[in-house]
Amino acid sequence: MIIAYGLIAAMALGAVVFVAYRMYNTPARAYRRRTRQEQRAYDARRAPTEP
């Protein structure tokens, strides 16, 4: 019986980890991350170069 409860707990933990991973890596988050990186690169190109 202890083994069965351990397997249930392990499967529940696996499901929680999977859902958390999917929520963290949503397409909207990836889009925001990419646009932030593009904006930083654009700002760096436009920065005046002081001699």
Side-chain angles (χ1 to χ4, degrees), residues 9-36:
M11 290 176 66
L13 180 64
V16 168
V17 167
F18 176 75
V19 170
Y21 175 80
R22 294 289 297 180
M23 287 174 64
Y24 185 75
N25 291 292
T26 59
R29 179 176 166 80
Y31 175 76
R32 286 194 308 268
R33 186 182 320 122
R34 189 176 70 244
T35 54
R36 248 191 339 264

